[in-house]
Amino acid sequence: MPRGAESLLEVLAAHDVEVVFGLPGVHNLAIWEALEKYKGIRMIGVRHEQTAVYAADGYARTTGKLGVAVVTTGPGAANTLGATGEAWASGSPVLVIATDIPSTLRQPGVHRGVLHETRDQKAMFGPVTKASFDVPSAQELGAYTGKAVQAATQSPHGPVYLGVPTDFLSAETPHHAPEKVGRAHLVPDLTEAEKLIAAAGKPLIWAGGGAARSGAGAAVGALADKLNAPIVTTYGARGLTDSAHVVKGPVHAPPVGKLWDEADLVIAIGTDLDGMMTQNWLQPKPPNLLAINIDKAEANKNYPADVTVEGDAAAVTEALAAKVTRKDAVVDVEAVNAEVRALVAADSPEAAKLLQALEGETATIVADMCIPGYWIGGFHHVAKERGLAYPVGWGTLGFGFPAAIGAAVDGRTIAVVGDGGFLFACGDLATLRQENLPLTIVLVDDGGYGMLRYDQQIANHTISGVDLTRPDFAKLAESFGIPAVTLDGFDGLRDALDSAAGPTMIVVNAALKPPINTSPRWYRKKTT
């Protein structure tokens, strides 16, 4: 009979898990030891538990597969919560496996002072996970692992916590043959949706992260072709489709926001129309709203839909595209895109240089919550599906670099980070060098927390807490054996990116003005 740690790995492998990210601790060493024997899964050891979950999230967003993090008990588990919350808010399929104190030492409701003990470790994860499980016995370890995997990967996706008492890892456990439970994508009746579309003269398609996670790109493109409708994508759906109908800018830009205002029908696919995209719901409710979503409540919580089609975004949109009647174009999408390009050039010539350097980039880009990241999230035209990871679910500063470590497992990746956020996880330069991942870090140094400095400036507040002492970032990278180059401004960025091979850091000394998709610059304002 296998030991519990072996059973855990067998179930993960049966669900096609090929890589996990983790940090060793006294209570989870059995998993690391089992991995030495079990060669089917690659373990990437990181330098902080939060990094483990961010990396798992970056991997999940880039590949569409389950991201797995393995951490230790108590403080190790607690260290993951910020990253787990980002995965939850962004709908990422992530499994956080955390050990717990030995079951033989646990007394329910009593804190006894065992090393790393918490009163209720699972409870910490309740607000930031889709589901949480504690394995009740060693005999059930395999079954609960399978249950946790299924919960994370079935729509709607989200992170799941699995707590494993450490003594279960060394106990004998039965072999578990997990059943891969698929979900049949049944398409409900589309009659009412077809009526709304038939009556529309100026439809707009709004595609969100749920559309991306369901792989609905081709279907969304086909629907747009039939309706000759512009496609606005949320941050989570950047790169969804290469359709000529895609609007290359955020709805926060007036030329794009005008499309929403003038549409007589918005078709919202895989989105909850959240506050970040709608300027905290200052966009007026459209005359008619058709929602396509796996979760009816999520689809209607912000803007009540006139018709809701509950189902998989890809399956429903594909069926709808096959049924609707072709319409003539009433919006010149290229003209809108030209307006957006002109807006960027006038608003920030330096940001325009950054975007020009990344134009046509085929690497996955992972952007942090920093001013250059905001420009990329809003205005960079992503060249491939799942080609951008951006932490606007929860808005967690420090996401960019560690999430890029996970993304780079799948291929060439560029992390765009600020000097402040990068320091959250700079120790994982060691991970980058150790794993020799194809990751280029573009670190834009503006002397501290540039967005917060801007917030203070426009409010006429004293500048405080935002100007930071920083290291020489190029020398820091080189101390880990990572080549680095320093630029003044973005003029040489494209050449530096083309020259990068393997782990590389490009430090850009530049200060950017925040773009109009950041909340202080939203153009829609309350009227009362």
Side-chain angles (χ1 to χ4, degrees):
M1 296 177 70
R3 301 290 180 179
E6 296 164 351
S7 179
L8 175 73
L9 298 182
E10 285 179 355
V11 174
L12 293 179
H15 284 282
D16 304 319
V17 172
E18 298 174 343
V19 60
V20 299
F21 305 89
L23 199 73
V26 66
H27 288 150
N28 73 7
L29 283 175
I31 298 175
W32 290 74
E33 292 164 2
L35 280 163
E36 288 295 318
K37 303 174 186 176
Y38 195 90
K39 300 301 182 183
I41 297 177
R42 176 184 180 184
M43 170 61 90
I44 294 181
V46 297
R47 302 306 190 264
H48 194 277
E49 289 88 359
Q50 190 173 79
T51 298
V53 178
Y54 276 143
D57 186 359
Y59 175 83
R61 296 191 200 206
T62 302
T63 64
K65 300 176 182 178
L66 178 69
V68 180
V70 176
V71 299
T72 195
T73 314
N79 279 342
T80 71
L81 291 174
T84 305
E86 175 58 43
W88 160 74
S90 294
S92 291
V94 170
L95 176 58
V96 181
I97 301 171
T99 47
D100 208 333
I101 68 168
S103 63
T104 53
L105 299 179
R106 170 76 72 190
Q107 287 187 9
V110 178
H111 181 267
R112 305 182 69 195
V114 178
L115 178 68
H116 299 333
E117 180 184 11
T118 60
R119 287 183 294 173
D120 190 344
Q121 185 169 291
K122 184 180 80 168
M124 296 193 299
F125 287 83
V128 293
T129 53
K130 175 184 174 182
S132 299
F133 302 99
D134 274 334
V135 178
S137 70
Q139 303 302 303
E140 297 170 279
L141 175 56
Y144 267 75
T145 303
K147 186 184 297 187
V149 170
Q150 292 287 356
T153 55
Q154 287 184 350
S155 297
H157 300 123
V160 171
Y161 164 81
L162 180 67
V164 185
T166 184
D167 52 315
F168 293 176
L169 296 175
S170 55
E172 288 189 344
T173 57
H175 283 282
H176 177 73
E179 180 183 358
K180 294 183 183 179
V181 181
R183 177 178 289 185
H185 296 314
L186 301 177
V187 176
D189 182 64
L190 298 175
T191 303
E192 295 304 313
E194 291 177 64
K195 288 179 181 177
L196 269 187
I197 292 174
K202 201 170 186 180
L204 169 69
I205 295 173
W206 177 294
R213 290 187 290 275
S214 75
V220 170
L223 181 62
D225 286 343
K226 288 288 283 290
L227 301 182
N228 268 302
I231 304 168
V232 171
T233 57
T234 69
Y235 299 128
R238 293 290 194 254
L240 175 69
T241 171
D242 60 1
S243 167
H245 299 283
V246 172
V247 177
K248 300 175 182 178
V251 73
H252 314 80
V256 184
K258 185 179 178 183
L259 298 178
W260 172 281
D261 295 341
E262 294 183 349
D264 58 359
L265 170 65
V266 172
I267 305 172
I269 304 173
T271 177
D272 62 0
L273 295 167
D274 62 54
M276 288 292 291
M277 292 306 304
T278 63
Q279 298 174 62
N280 282 346
W281 307 286
L282 290 177
Q283 290 179 195
K285 184 184 182 301
N288 289 288
L289 178 60
L290 166 61
I292 299 170
N293 203 297
I294 196 73
D295 187 322
K296 184 175 183 178
E298 283 291 300
N300 285 270
K301 69 184 183 184
N302 291 318
Y303 289 84
D306 297 280
V307 173
T308 303
V309 181
E310 191 169 13
D312 175 72
V316 171
T317 305
E318 181 180 16
L320 196 58
K323 287 177 172 288
V324 297
T325 303
R326 187 171 298 278
K327 293 180 180 288
D328 293 328
V330 293
V331 174
D332 185 342
V333 172
E334 185 47 48
V336 174
N337 290 337
E339 285 188 71
V340 172
R341 289 193 295 271
L343 185 155
V344 170
D347 193 41
S348 176
E350 196 67 10
K353 292 178 183 178
L354 166 63
L355 296 169
Q356 185 176 11
L358 295 174
E359 190 172 344
E361 180 58 64
T362 57
T364 297
I365 297 177
V366 183
D368 206 0
M369 289 293 285
C370 58
I371 294 176
Y374 303 145
W375 278 104
I376 289 168
F379 295 95
H380 172 61
H381 180 59
V382 181
K384 65 176 183 177
E385 191 175 7
R386 298 184 178 277
L388 174 69
Y390 181 48
V392 290
W394 226 25
T396 46
L397 180 60
F399 165 93
F401 172 46
I405 288 174
V409 173
D410 191 53
R412 184 169 172 267
T413 300
I414 299 170
V416 179
V417 301
D419 52 295
F422 176 74
L423 288 173
F424 281 35
C426 61
D428 274 286
L429 286 169
T431 304
L432 176 57
R433 178 70 278 170
Q434 180 173 302
E435 300 295 328
N436 197 34
L437 296 169
L439 171 58
T440 300
I441 304 163
V442 177
L443 190 155
V444 182
D445 187 350
D446 66 357
Y449 299 127
M451 188 70 230
L452 301 181
R453 186 186 297 119
Y454 179 80
D455 289 338
Q456 292 178 341
Q457 288 170 340
I458 62 172
N460 292 318
H461 290 171
T462 301
I463 305 301
S464 60
V466 298
D467 295 328
L468 303 178
T469 297
R470 292 103 58 219
D472 182 321
F473 287 107
K475 288 183 179 178
L476 177 65
E478 289 166 352
S479 74
F480 284 89
I482 295 172
V485 62
T486 300
L487 305 174
D488 289 322
F490 295 101
D491 285 326
L493 178 56
R494 183 65 259 170
D495 289 340
L497 288 169
D498 289 340
S499 299
T504 308
M505 178 181 282
I506 302 169
V507 181
V508 182
N509 294 315
L512 295 174
K513 176 183 180 181
I516 56 177
N517 50 305
T518 54
S519 57
R521 297 195 63 202
W522 288 346
Y523 76 93
R524 297 185 192 267
K525 307 294 181 185
K526 290 184 179 179
T527 56
T528 57

Tab-separated table of all heavy atoms in Angstrom, residues 178-213:
chain	number	residue	atom	x	y	z
A	178	PRO	N	-8.815	7.890	-9.249
A	178	PRO	CA	-9.747	9.016	-9.381
A	178	PRO	C	-10.506	8.975	-10.694
A	178	PRO	O	-9.959	8.624	-11.740
A	178	PRO	CB	-8.852	10.245	-9.305
A	178	PRO	CG	-7.514	9.762	-9.745
A	178	PRO	CD	-7.417	8.335	-9.299
A	179	GLU	N	-11.746	9.331	-10.602
A	179	GLU	CA	-12.581	9.418	-11.795
A	179	GLU	C	-12.609	10.865	-12.251
A	179	GLU	O	-12.927	11.767	-11.476
A	179	GLU	CB	-14.001	8.946	-11.475
A	179	GLU	CG	-14.945	9.005	-12.660
A	179	GLU	CD	-16.367	8.604	-12.289
A	179	GLU	OE1	-16.597	8.243	-11.122
A	179	GLU	OE2	-17.235	8.671	-13.176
A	180	LYS	N	-12.256	11.091	-13.500
A	180	LYS	CA	-12.312	12.446	-14.041
A	180	LYS	C	-13.761	12.742	-14.432
A	180	LYS	O	-14.296	12.151	-15.365
A	180	LYS	CB	-11.392	12.583	-15.252
A	180	LYS	CG	-9.915	12.430	-14.915
A	180	LYS	CD	-9.065	12.652	-16.142
A	180	LYS	CE	-7.596	12.440	-15.839
A	180	LYS	NZ	-6.743	12.629	-17.035
A	181	VAL	N	-14.357	13.616	-13.679
A	181	VAL	CA	-15.764	13.928	-13.895
A	181	VAL	C	-15.869	15.156	-14.776
A	181	VAL	O	-15.531	16.263	-14.361
A	181	VAL	CB	-16.491	14.178	-12.557
A	181	VAL	CG1	-17.963	14.477	-12.804
A	181	VAL	CG2	-16.332	12.962	-11.641
A	182	GLY	N	-16.297	14.945	-15.988
A	182	GLY	CA	-16.496	16.076	-16.889
A	182	GLY	C	-17.902	16.633	-16.742
A	182	GLY	O	-18.796	15.982	-16.196
A	183	ARG	N	-18.089	17.837	-17.208
A	183	ARG	CA	-19.425	18.438	-17.168
A	183	ARG	C	-19.915	18.592	-18.595
A	183	ARG	O	-19.269	19.215	-19.425
A	183	ARG	CB	-19.383	19.797	-16.466
A	183	ARG	CG	-20.730	20.506	-16.468
A	183	ARG	CD	-20.686	21.825	-15.722
A	183	ARG	NE	-20.565	21.629	-14.301
A	183	ARG	CZ	-20.610	22.631	-13.416
A	183	ARG	NH1	-20.766	23.874	-13.839
A	183	ARG	NH2	-20.493	22.390	-12.127
A	184	ALA	N	-21.092	18.000	-18.864
A	184	ALA	CA	-21.669	18.121	-20.198
A	184	ALA	C	-22.138	19.560	-20.408
A	184	ALA	O	-22.861	20.108	-19.575
A	184	ALA	CB	-22.828	17.152	-20.357
A	185	HIS	N	-21.715	20.160	-21.497
A	185	HIS	CA	-22.077	21.549	-21.768
A	185	HIS	C	-23.383	21.589	-22.566
A	185	HIS	O	-23.390	21.738	-23.786
A	185	HIS	CB	-20.950	22.252	-22.515
A	185	HIS	CG	-19.692	22.366	-21.720
A	185	HIS	ND1	-19.679	22.769	-20.403
A	185	HIS	CD2	-18.393	22.124	-22.054
A	185	HIS	CE1	-18.435	22.781	-19.961
A	185	HIS	NE2	-17.642	22.390	-20.931
A	186	LEU	N	-24.477	21.419	-21.852
A	186	LEU	CA	-25.782	21.456	-22.489
A	186	LEU	C	-26.165	22.907	-22.771
A	186	LEU	O	-25.977	23.794	-21.941
A	186	LEU	CB	-26.825	20.808	-21.580
A	186	LEU	CG	-26.557	19.340	-21.196
A	186	LEU	CD1	-27.634	18.844	-20.239
A	186	LEU	CD2	-26.500	18.463	-22.436
A	187	VAL	N	-26.704	23.133	-23.948
A	187	VAL	CA	-27.105	24.480	-24.335
A	187	VAL	C	-28.603	24.632	-24.079
A	187	VAL	O	-29.408	23.892	-24.637
A	187	VAL	CB	-26.786	24.751	-25.813
A	187	VAL	CG1	-27.294	26.128	-26.227
A	187	VAL	CG2	-25.285	24.642	-26.048
A	188	PRO	N	-28.981	25.574	-23.214
A	188	PRO	CA	-30.408	25.767	-22.939
A	188	PRO	C	-31.120	26.437	-24.109
A	188	PRO	O	-30.504	26.775	-25.127
A	188	PRO	CB	-30.401	26.676	-21.702
A	188	PRO	CG	-29.104	27.393	-21.775
A	188	PRO	CD	-28.133	26.479	-22.434
A	189	ASP	N	-32.392	26.642	-23.946
A	189	ASP	CA	-33.190	27.282	-24.994
A	189	ASP	C	-32.686	28.704	-25.261
A	189	ASP	O	-32.465	29.488	-24.336
A	189	ASP	CB	-34.666	27.319	-24.563
A	189	ASP	CG	-35.539	27.932	-25.633
A	189	ASP	OD1	-35.638	27.357	-26.730
A	189	ASP	OD2	-36.095	29.026	-25.379
A	190	LEU	N	-32.516	29.030	-26.521
A	190	LEU	CA	-31.954	30.327	-26.903
A	190	LEU	C	-32.990	31.255	-27.530
A	190	LEU	O	-32.643	32.319	-28.047
A	190	LEU	CB	-30.799	30.119	-27.896
A	190	LEU	CG	-29.594	29.317	-27.392
A	190	LEU	CD1	-28.591	29.106	-28.527
A	190	LEU	CD2	-28.921	30.025	-26.228
A	191	THR	N	-34.258	30.890	-27.452
A	191	THR	CA	-35.293	31.649	-28.155
A	191	THR	C	-35.320	33.114	-27.748
A	191	THR	O	-35.339	34.023	-28.600
A	191	THR	CB	-36.676	31.022	-27.906
A	191	THR	OG1	-36.651	29.656	-28.327
A	191	THR	CG2	-37.748	31.779	-28.678
A	192	GLU	N	-35.317	33.381	-26.444
A	192	GLU	CA	-35.405	34.766	-25.973
A	192	GLU	C	-34.134	35.547	-26.322
A	192	GLU	O	-34.207	36.741	-26.643
A	192	GLU	CB	-35.657	34.794	-24.463
A	192	GLU	CG	-37.003	34.220	-24.042
A	192	GLU	CD	-38.164	34.918	-24.742
A	192	GLU	OE1	-38.171	36.173	-24.774
A	192	GLU	OE2	-39.045	34.217	-25.274
A	193	ALA	N	-33.000	34.865	-26.268
A	193	ALA	CA	-31.755	35.528	-26.654
A	193	ALA	C	-31.778	35.899	-28.135
A	193	ALA	O	-31.363	37.008	-28.522
A	193	ALA	CB	-30.571	34.614	-26.362
A	194	GLU	N	-32.291	34.999	-28.966
A	194	GLU	CA	-32.370	35.282	-30.399
A	194	GLU	C	-33.290	36.469	-30.681
A	194	GLU	O	-33.008	37.297	-31.556
A	194	GLU	CB	-32.877	34.048	-31.139
A	194	GLU	CG	-31.887	32.881	-31.152
A	194	GLU	CD	-32.476	31.665	-31.825
A	194	GLU	OE1	-32.752	31.751	-33.040
A	194	GLU	OE2	-32.701	30.650	-31.143
A	195	LYS	N	-34.365	36.578	-29.920
A	195	LYS	CA	-35.291	37.696	-30.119
A	195	LYS	C	-34.618	39.037	-29.802
A	195	LYS	O	-34.782	40.016	-30.535
A	195	LYS	CB	-36.521	37.512	-29.227
A	195	LYS	CG	-37.468	36.400	-29.660
A	195	LYS	CD	-38.641	36.300	-28.692
A	195	LYS	CE	-39.597	35.185	-29.082
A	195	LYS	NZ	-40.714	35.038	-28.106
A	196	LEU	N	-33.874	39.064	-28.694
A	196	LEU	CA	-33.168	40.301	-28.336
A	196	LEU	C	-32.192	40.708	-29.429
A	196	LEU	O	-32.102	41.878	-29.804
A	196	LEU	CB	-32.402	40.106	-27.024
A	196	LEU	CG	-33.080	40.446	-25.700
A	196	LEU	CD1	-32.069	40.343	-24.560
A	196	LEU	CD2	-33.681	41.841	-25.724
A	197	ILE	N	-31.460	39.728	-29.929
A	197	ILE	CA	-30.454	40.020	-30.954
A	197	ILE	C	-31.114	40.458	-32.256
A	197	ILE	O	-30.667	41.402	-32.927
A	197	ILE	CB	-29.543	38.797	-31.169
A	197	ILE	CG1	-28.672	38.571	-29.927
A	197	ILE	CG2	-28.676	38.979	-32.406
A	197	ILE	CD1	-27.844	37.309	-29.966
A	198	ALA	N	-32.212	39.802	-32.625
A	198	ALA	CA	-32.906	40.147	-33.870
A	198	ALA	C	-33.408	41.588	-33.847
A	198	ALA	O	-33.420	42.279	-34.881
A	198	ALA	CB	-34.064	39.182	-34.101
A	199	ALA	N	-33.798	42.060	-32.654
A	199	ALA	CA	-34.351	43.409	-32.531
A	199	ALA	C	-33.279	44.488	-32.411
A	199	ALA	O	-33.586	45.681	-32.491
A	199	ALA	CB	-35.290	43.472	-31.316
A	200	ALA	N	-32.038	44.085	-32.216
A	200	ALA	CA	-30.968	45.057	-31.967
A	200	ALA	C	-30.458	45.660	-33.266
A	200	ALA	O	-30.258	44.958	-34.263
A	200	ALA	CB	-29.832	44.387	-31.214
A	201	GLY	N	-30.227	46.982	-33.234
A	201	GLY	CA	-29.640	47.644	-34.391
A	201	GLY	C	-28.170	47.943	-34.209
A	201	GLY	O	-27.431	48.117	-35.176
A	202	LYS	N	-27.723	47.990	-32.939
A	202	LYS	CA	-26.338	48.350	-32.662
A	202	LYS	C	-25.837	47.520	-31.471
A	202	LYS	O	-25.647	48.030	-30.372
A	202	LYS	CB	-26.237	49.846	-32.367
A	202	LYS	CG	-24.845	50.423	-32.566
A	202	LYS	CD	-24.879	51.948	-32.501
A	202	LYS	CE	-23.512	52.536	-32.846
A	202	LYS	NZ	-23.526	54.022	-32.782
A	203	PRO	N	-25.588	46.235	-31.681
A	203	PRO	CA	-25.151	45.381	-30.574
A	203	PRO	C	-23.670	45.564	-30.250
A	203	PRO	O	-22.872	45.944	-31.116
A	203	PRO	CB	-25.429	43.972	-31.091
A	203	PRO	CG	-25.302	44.091	-32.580
A	203	PRO	CD	-25.791	45.469	-32.925
A	204	LEU	N	-23.337	45.297	-29.003
A	204	LEU	CA	-21.950	45.325	-28.521
A	204	LEU	C	-21.698	44.039	-27.753
A	204	LEU	O	-22.525	43.643	-26.916
A	204	LEU	CB	-21.735	46.533	-27.600
A	204	LEU	CG	-20.420	46.569	-26.799
A	204	LEU	CD1	-19.240	46.804	-27.736
A	204	LEU	CD2	-20.470	47.655	-25.720
A	205	ILE	N	-20.583	43.385	-28.028
A	205	ILE	CA	-20.201	42.182	-27.274
A	205	ILE	C	-19.187	42.584	-26.214
A	205	ILE	O	-18.179	43.229	-26.506
A	205	ILE	CB	-19.606	41.116	-28.215
A	205	ILE	CG1	-20.669	40.630	-29.205
A	205	ILE	CG2	-19.062	39.936	-27.406
A	205	ILE	CD1	-20.128	39.704	-30.276
A	206	TRP	N	-19.458	42.176	-24.976
A	206	TRP	CA	-18.568	42.450	-23.835
A	206	TRP	C	-18.131	41.088	-23.309
A	206	TRP	O	-18.931	40.348	-22.754
A	206	TRP	CB	-19.334	43.237	-22.778
A	206	TRP	CG	-18.614	43.556	-21.506
A	206	TRP	CD1	-18.190	42.664	-20.556
A	206	TRP	CD2	-18.261	44.858	-21.015
A	206	TRP	NE1	-17.595	43.324	-19.514
A	206	TRP	CE2	-17.628	44.668	-19.768
A	206	TRP	CE3	-18.428	46.146	-21.506
A	206	TRP	CZ2	-17.160	45.734	-19.003
A	206	TRP	CZ3	-17.964	47.195	-20.740
A	206	TRP	CH2	-17.329	46.998	-19.509
A	207	ALA	N	-16.881	40.729	-23.500
A	207	ALA	CA	-16.387	39.398	-23.127
A	207	ALA	C	-15.466	39.503	-21.927
A	207	ALA	O	-14.570	40.350	-21.890
A	207	ALA	CB	-15.647	38.756	-24.303
A	208	GLY	N	-15.670	38.621	-20.944
A	208	GLY	CA	-14.906	38.670	-19.706
A	208	GLY	C	-14.071	37.437	-19.463
A	208	GLY	O	-13.933	36.550	-20.323
A	209	GLY	N	-13.532	37.363	-18.241
A	209	GLY	CA	-12.629	36.282	-17.882
A	209	GLY	C	-13.262	34.910	-17.991
A	209	GLY	O	-12.583	33.922	-18.293
A	210	GLY	N	-14.570	34.807	-17.745
A	210	GLY	CA	-15.239	33.515	-17.883
A	210	GLY	C	-15.227	33.023	-19.309
A	210	GLY	O	-15.137	31.813	-19.565
A	211	ALA	N	-15.303	33.949	-20.257
A	211	ALA	CA	-15.205	33.560	-21.668
A	211	ALA	C	-13.822	33.011	-21.969
A	211	ALA	O	-13.662	32.015	-22.690
A	211	ALA	CB	-15.518	34.756	-22.558
A	212	ALA	N	-12.789	33.661	-21.398
A	212	ALA	CA	-11.421	33.182	-21.613
A	212	ALA	C	-11.222	31.808	-20.989
A	212	ALA	O	-10.634	30.911	-21.605
A	212	ALA	CB	-10.428	34.180	-21.032
A	213	ARG	N	-11.709	31.622	-19.758
A	213	ARG	CA	-11.495	30.341	-19.076
A	213	ARG	C	-12.248	29.195	-19.747
A	213	ARG	O	-11.836	28.041	-19.647
A	213	ARG	CB	-11.895	30.468	-17.599
A	213	ARG	CG	-10.945	31.343	-16.798
A	213	ARG	CD	-11.258	31.309	-15.320
A	213	ARG	NE	-12.496	31.989	-14.972
A	213	ARG	CZ	-12.607	33.298	-14.746
A	213	ARG	NH1	-11.544	34.087	-14.873
A	213	ARG	NH2	-13.770	33.832	-14.408
